Amino acid sequence: MKKLVDLISTNDAGEMLEHIHAMIALVKRDGTLVSWNRAFGSIKKLFPAANKLEDLFSHSDKDQLISRLGSNAEEHWVAKFSIPEIREGFNIYCDCLLIPISEDSALFIAEEVNSDSAFQEVVERLNRLVKLFKIESEVTKKIARNKQIEMESVMIQAQEIAQIDALTFLLNRRMIVRKLQDEVSRAERYNSLLSISVVDVDHFKAVNDNYGHSVGDEVLRQVAGQLQDHIRQPDVVGRYGGEEFLILLPSSDANAAAEQAQRLCKHMREMVIPINHTEQTLSITISIGIAQFRHGVDTWDTLLNRADNAMYEAKGNGRNRWFVAK
């Protein structure tokens, strides 16, 4: 802890770092952990064999972390820590900041974010950082090579967070509708193909009623992850509202969207979700409504309404399936 204290300040910074809830660690450029505060130590206790920062991250985030450790620029991102000892199959999402402080070391700061209020706190904290950059101090002189560039970067990050759904980390309703409007305009201008899929979690109310909203939230996070992982690169997915998601498929007809819907339904059926701290698990299914854009007929809202009606047709025909609008 002394190395970390000496790095930041000589005026009782150690006591401050030990009592704040953000996780802070001094690491070498290869990720080797040097020293850390109490909050970081509480996570590291769950990984006693961890000698490097990457050992605490989920498998999907390790490569991104390693590339950021080699960067000479300040890096900010959202990552997840897998904590199997506490919540098997669950993840802790953290707002992370990596600040280079010398050629061979960097400062890692992480704070858990898992709710709307937590995301709002992140936005507010980023805005406070903009103000703090204006204050001359030894810390800012060491960390900030170019304060104007860093302030602009923070503002961009705050704007990006405002576009993300706090629970699922997908685009929120406002942004996915805006992208739908853009894709419809592009399809009209270039006479190109466009299809959309409305995805709804089957019997979601029963999940909340039987297992509680915390399990319901985890179901939505897991569904969002499956959707994000199993759509192609040009496609875009967002949370439209409640347990409903919207997928945009540019340059795709209804047949391509139906093939994708078949794969998504299969992945959801095979997914197993653990229930809190018990040995119980939960399986879910989805219903998907598909609509292809009709040139000269559809607007963005009529296209969305057709897909939504098709989704209800899928539910009416037994759920766990898809239906293509005529």
Side-chain angles (χ1 to χ4, degrees):
M1 191 62 200
K2 185 177 184 301
K3 292 182 180 180
L4 187 58
V5 173
D6 291 343
L7 173 70
I8 298 176
S9 172
T10 60
N11 297 318
D12 299 324
E15 190 67 16
M16 175 192 72
L17 292 174
E18 285 296 302
H19 286 85
I20 62 177
H21 65 274
M23 296 179 287
I24 303 175
L26 179 64
V27 298
K28 291 189 176 298
R29 285 307 184 93
D30 65 353
T32 300
L33 294 165
V34 178
S35 57
W36 49 84
N37 70 347
R38 184 180 302 166
F40 190 96
S42 65
I43 291 294
K44 191 178 182 304
K45 286 180 181 178
L46 304 175
F47 300 87
N51 294 315
K52 290 191 174 184
L53 186 58
E54 64 188 74
D55 296 334
L56 278 64
F57 280 75
S58 66
H59 179 74
S60 60
D61 285 323
K62 285 187 178 181
D63 291 341
Q64 294 187 41
L65 171 66
I66 293 171
S67 66
R68 287 184 167 97
L69 283 168
S71 172
N72 290 322
E74 180 178 313
E75 297 284 348
H76 179 270
W77 76 104
V78 175
K80 57 186 176 182
F81 292 69
S82 294
I83 313 294
E85 290 85 350
I86 294 179
R87 296 181 289 180
E88 185 175 357
F90 284 62
N91 298 306
I92 293 179
Y93 290 85
C94 289
D95 176 52
C96 301
L97 184 65
L98 189 68
I99 305 170
I101 54 177
S102 69
E103 291 184 358
D104 63 348
S105 61
L107 194 65
F108 174 77
I109 304 172
E111 185 172 3
E112 183 178 357
V113 286
N114 56 14
S115 64
D116 288 336
S117 60
F119 260 78
Q120 184 60 37
E121 289 176 6
V122 173
V123 174
E124 292 174 357
R125 181 168 59 82
L126 290 171
N127 288 330
R128 288 197 298 271
L129 282 175
V130 175
K131 297 178 181 178
L132 289 175
F133 278 129
K134 299 178 182 178
I135 302 173
E136 292 292 339
S137 69
E138 289 302 318
V139 175
T140 56
K141 288 177 183 177
K142 292 178 181 177
I143 296 176
R145 302 292 193 279
N146 190 324
K147 290 186 282 188
Q148 181 61 39
I149 292 177
E150 292 189 5
M151 282 192 292
E152 291 175 358
S153 176
V154 167
M155 293 296 290
I156 291 172
Q157 293 166 14
Q159 183 179 6
E160 289 177 350
I161 287 177
Q163 299 173 357
I164 300 298
D165 175 65
L167 179 65
T168 62
F169 290 90
L170 300 179
L171 293 176
N172 60 24
R173 180 189 181 96
R174 180 173 60 88
M175 287 307 300
I176 193 63
V177 168
R178 179 179 297 179
K179 286 191 175 292
L180 171 61
Q181 293 168 339
D182 292 343
E183 290 298 338
V184 166
S185 297
R186 187 176 294 109
E188 288 178 329
R189 185 180 306 115
Y190 298 107
N191 195 33
S192 57
L193 292 171
L194 170 65
S195 295
I196 67 171
S197 296
V198 172
V199 181
D200 190 87
V201 181
D202 294 331
H203 302 296
F204 184 71
K205 184 178 182 301
V207 173
N208 279 333
D209 291 344
N210 294 331
Y211 302 105
H213 288 280
S214 62
V215 174
D217 288 346
E218 183 61 22
V219 167
L220 294 179
R221 281 192 288 265
Q222 296 284 352
V223 169
Q226 290 289 326
L227 295 177
Q228 186 71 69
D229 290 345
H230 294 98
I231 61 174
R232 61 179 189 169
Q233 186 60 36
D235 300 342
V236 181
V237 60
R239 185 184 180 192
Y240 186 64
E243 67 272 25
E244 201 166 80
F245 301 85
L246 177 60
I247 304 174
L248 312 182
L249 297 91
S251 304
S252 297
D253 60 13
N255 290 331
E259 291 176 2
Q260 181 186 83
Q262 182 181 20
R263 293 194 302 271
L264 292 175
C265 285
K266 178 178 181 293
H267 287 303
M268 296 301 173
R269 285 195 301 268
E270 295 174 350
M271 181 172 61
V272 177
I273 303 172
I275 299 175
N276 293 330
H277 310 292
T278 69
E279 296 182 356
Q280 290 181 287
T281 59
L282 177 65
S283 298
I284 59 100
T285 59
I286 56 174
S287 296
I288 304 177
I290 299 166
Q292 180 175 328
F293 179 69
R294 301 175 298 186
H295 292 275
V297 178
D298 277 324
T299 60
W300 71 266
D301 52 344
T302 62
L303 176 64
L304 182 59
N305 187 60
R306 290 172 55 227
D308 199 48
N309 289 337
M311 182 270 292
Y312 282 108
E313 287 283 348
K315 284 188 176 293
N317 282 281
R319 296 181 173 84
N320 186 28
R321 65 194 65 222
W322 65 95
F323 189 84
V324 180
K326 304 302 182 183

